[in-house]
Amino acid sequence: MMRNGRFDDTGNFITTGFPGQLKANMVFSDEVNEDTGVTDWFNKRERFRDTLFGYTCWDMVINFGFRTLEDGTRECYHYGQYQTRARRNI
């Protein structure tokens, strides 16, 4: 994905899609426990959007990360938030 791409002024990564243009956006979030200095949770949200001639070929958002449960164990997760295909951009 990173080959022949570039970052725009807002931090999005733009490269050649299949077909068209692929724009990737990533947002990192976390929270550190002030008492222990340990990270309580972390999340990375990625959005991939492929367009061709003003049409969205596909658009998907995925989330992954971990959270600390009440018993101190950590739960890891990875899931798709949504995915759409082939609609007209307005």
Side-chain angles (χ1 to χ4, degrees), residues 30-64:
D30 68 343
E31 185 173 290
V32 176
N33 184 313
E34 293 180 10
D35 297 330
T36 64
V38 176
T39 302
D40 280 339
W41 62 267
F42 166 83
N43 186 74
K44 181 179 179 186
R45 181 180 188 264
E46 298 178 325
R47 181 180 184 192
F48 299 94
R49 186 167 176 237
D50 192 34
T51 58
L52 178 66
F53 304 123
Y55 288 92
T56 297
C57 300
W58 58 271
D59 183 4
M60 77 176 190
V61 174
I62 56 176
N63 282 287
F64 61 90

Side-chain angles (χ1 to χ4, degrees), residues 63-81:
N63 282 287
F64 61 90
F66 71 87
R67 60 183 145 252
T68 305
L69 303 177
E70 290 182 14
D71 64 1
T73 61
R74 296 232 169 105
E75 175 184 62
C76 295
Y77 59 88
H78 184 252
Y79 65 92
Q81 189 172 333

